[in-house]
Amino acid sequence: MAELVYRPVVGLAQTLFRAWDLKIDCKGSENIPRSGGAVLVSNHISYLDFIFDGLAALPQKRLVRFMAKESVFRHRISGPLMRGMKHIPVDRQQGETAYQHALESLRSGEIVGVFPEATISQSFALKSFKSGAARMAQEAGVPLIPMALWGTQRLWTKGHPRNFKRSHTPITIRVGEPVEAPRDQYAGAITRRLRERVQELLEAAQRAYPVRPKGPDDTWWMPAHLGGTAPTPEQVKAAEAH
C-alpha cells in the first residue's frame, strides 16, 4: 500500500523541526527491527510524543501506527490525517475493538506504538504501566521495543501553553534493546520488566540532556525529584481526585 499521507506528513514535520532548529539527539534506532511486527513502547510527557517516537523509526525505514484516543480521529484537521496514516483509534468504552485492530496490524508485520501510561504524565515522572502492550506482544508473537523521550514537554504539554517559538530546544530520544514477551509468562511480570527498561532509558535521556532551567521561572519542566517545580506524582493524583 502506498503511504500517500504518512510520508508527506513526516516530511512536513522534519521541515518544521529544521525551521525551529530543534536539537534532536536520537540513539538506539538500530534496536527497531527493519522488518516484522513489534510494539514500540514510550513514556508520555507531551502532545507531540508520537511524532518524535515515529522519527526514531525512520532510520530503519519503518512507519509506526500509533494507538490514540478516538476523539483525535473526530477532529476536523487531525482526523483525516490520523486515518490516512493508519493510526489506531482507541475508544475507552470499547477497547477490545482497538486491541484486535492492533493485533491485526502486528500480525501483518507493522510496528504499533503504545503509551502504556495511557495519559500524559504531568509530573514528568514515569507512571504505572497498563499491561495491554505486553499482552499484545505475547498474542502476536512480537517483541516490545522500549524507548524514552525528554524535552518534548517544553514544546507542548498538558497544563501549559504550547510554545513553538522556543527554538533550539533539545529533544533527547533513547531506544532500548527489544524485550521479549513469551506466552508462558505473566503479562504483569513482562510489564514490570518493560517499565524498568523505560525508566532506565528515561534516566539516560535526562542525564544526556544538554540544558538546565535558565532560572526560577524555568523550572516547571523538571520533575520534583530532579529539583524542578513540576507537581509530584502524589500531587497530580490528589488534584485529579478533586
Side-chain angles (χ1 to χ4, degrees):
M1 286 283 289
E3 296 288 345
L4 300 177
V5 176
Y6 209 134
R7 293 193 190 283
V9 168
V10 167
L12 175 61
Q14 290 174 317
T15 300
L16 286 173
F17 295 161
R18 281 194 292 273
W20 293 336
D21 194 28
L22 298 184
K23 306 298 185 186
I24 300 173
D25 168 22
C26 180
K27 288 188 170 61
S29 286
E30 68 277 3
N31 291 312
I32 296 170
R34 281 192 172 270
S35 62
V39 182
L40 196 67
V41 175
S42 171
N43 66 320
H44 200 11
I45 52 175
S46 162
Y47 291 114
L48 303 175
D49 288 341
F50 73 98
I51 299 174
F52 292 99
D53 285 337
L55 278 182
L58 292 181
Q60 297 295 81
K61 298 183 167 48
R62 301 302 303 272
L63 299 177
V64 183
R65 315 300 175 182
F66 285 93
M67 300 185 78
K69 60 183 181 182
E70 194 258 346
S71 59
V72 180
F73 291 77
R74 290 200 306 266
H75 190 274
R76 63 187 180 85
I77 296 171
S78 63
L81 293 175
M82 295 294 280
R83 288 190 293 275
M85 289 187 279
K86 306 186 189 75
H87 294 313
I88 301 168
V90 180
D91 180 344
R92 294 214 173 125
Q93 307 303 314
Q94 298 176 312
E96 189 59 29
T97 303
Y99 184 86
Q100 291 303 323
H101 185 166
L103 271 184
E104 288 169 19
S105 295
L106 291 168
R107 286 170 176 154
S108 67
E110 298 271 18
I111 295 180
V112 172
V114 176
F115 297 108
E117 296 167 279
T119 56
I120 288 173
S121 169
Q122 291 179 268
S123 69
F124 309 131
L126 210 56
K127 297 163 66 174
S128 61
F129 277 20
K130 300 194 181 305
S131 63
R135 289 188 289 111
M136 281 194 301
Q138 283 181 301
E139 209 168 325
V142 301
L144 294 146
I145 311 296
M147 67 181 298
L149 300 165
W150 192 245
T152 59
Q153 75 274 31
R154 298 178 69 202
L155 297 175
W156 189 15
T157 192
K158 197 170 183 179
H160 294 274
R162 60 179 178 260
N163 189 353
F164 297 151
K165 294 176 185 169
R166 191 193 300 278
S167 59
H168 321 303
T169 301
I171 305 294
T172 305
I173 307 170
R174 293 292 181 266
V175 186
E177 293 179 358
V179 173
E180 296 305 320
R183 287 188 178 224
D184 60 354
Q185 290 186 14
Y186 288 115
I190 297 168
T191 301
R192 282 192 294 277
R193 195 159 67 244
L194 180 66
R195 188 183 180 280
E196 286 168 8
R197 290 281 185 88
V198 174
Q199 180 65 38
E200 289 166 5
L201 293 165
L202 177 58
E203 290 172 9
Q206 289 167 336
R207 285 194 300 272
Y209 200 67
V211 300
R212 293 291 177 264
K214 295 186 182 73
D217 295 336
D218 190 41
T219 57
W220 64 269
W221 56 271
M222 288 286 279
H225 72 274
L226 292 180
T229 52
T232 64
E234 295 72 25
Q235 288 169 331
V236 173
K237 271 185 190 171
E240 289 173 346
H242 288 302

